[in-house]
Amino acid sequence: MSEPDAPAPVPVPVPDAPLPGGAVMRLVRPGDAPALLAAYRRNADHLAPTEPRRGERFATLEGQAERIAGQLREWEAGRTVPWVLDGSGVPGAHPVLGTLTFTGIVRGPLLSASVGYWVDREHTGRGLAGQALAHAVAYARDALGLHRLEAGTLLDNTASQRVLLRAGFTWYGTAPDYLHIAGAWRDHHRYQLILGEVEPRP
């Protein structure tokens, strides 16, 4: 007799989070594809030094729609949390001001996730990344029950390093040739934040 199928995981709700200045941090939606495409096109030069090279389909509406659908499937499976920084409530701002994403959410004895983010070039230096990261840290601790978050930056990305340090992350090492960024394998500084002494579930 075959074993019954395991119940599908129930995704943890992701409530909208108002940020100072009128932006809202919320779960990505299928209808965000046009605004995300416009944001990536607008920020192409800004993001190029810190991003992997993308295929041509990434810069199409269909490519963005496929990417969002994949992110939402991963969220439903409990492996990622894809937020957008919605600028609809910010006077004169674009609909999407950036993204923040948890990837590689692992349960068991590790209880960890990786965090990555970017902010529109017109809104850097205004505290938006720090505000979003502070909310994400609280969500990881209180809603997801994680023990640890980790992040990496290129060695010369001092702006992102300041955001991480202000959020309580600590540097714990440098990984040689860690990610293929802007056409080359690049060393990365590694940071982590211990969220609390959480007891892993069996």
Side-chain angles (χ1 to χ4, degrees):
M1 186 173 179
S2 61
E3 293 289 331
D5 292 338
V10 178
V12 178
V14 182
D16 293 358
L19 301 176
V24 174
M25 186 172 170
R26 60 167 176 79
L27 190 69
V28 71
R29 301 168 185 159
D32 289 328
L36 275 167
L37 176 60
Y40 281 117
R41 286 178 172 173
R42 191 171 60 249
N43 287 277
D45 292 341
H46 170 56
L47 296 176
T50 59
E51 292 265 311
R53 289 182 176 169
R54 312 284 191 178
E56 291 182 3
R57 193 165 180 81
F58 181 86
T60 67
L61 188 59
E62 295 79 8
Q64 287 300 311
E66 291 169 0
R67 187 167 184 261
I68 291 170
Q71 288 179 320
L72 290 174
R73 285 193 298 270
E74 288 292 287
W75 169 66
E76 290 172 351
R79 291 188 288 264
T80 189
V81 182
W83 283 281
V84 295
L85 306 182
D86 188 326
S88 300
V90 180
H94 298 285
V96 169
L97 302 181
T99 69
L100 188 149
T101 309
F102 287 164
T103 56
I105 298 174
V106 178
R107 297 290 175 178
L110 187 57
L111 278 178
S112 181
S114 297
V115 58
Y117 51 85
W118 65 269
V119 171
D120 186 284
R121 57 187 172 81
E122 297 178 3
H123 292 265
T124 59
R126 303 184 186 184
L128 185 57
Q131 295 161 10
L133 185 57
H135 171 73
V137 166
Y139 182 84
R141 181 186 61 240
D142 301 333
L144 298 180
L146 297 183
H147 167 67
R148 175 181 176 272
L149 289 175
E150 67 174 14
T153 77
L154 291 168
L155 304 192
D156 59 356
N157 191 350
T158 56
S160 189
Q161 292 161 18
R162 285 194 298 269
V163 170
L164 291 168
L165 293 171
R166 287 170 182 164
F169 284 71
T170 57
W171 177 85
Y172 70 92
T174 301
D177 293 347
Y178 183 70
L179 288 175
H180 199 265
I181 298 294
W185 290 103
R186 305 287 298 277
D187 299 351
H188 278 64
H189 285 318
R190 304 294 299 156
Y191 296 83
Q192 69 175 3
L193 174 62
I194 303 302
L195 300 168
E197 296 300 319
V198 181
E199 187 68 24
R201 298 173 185 171

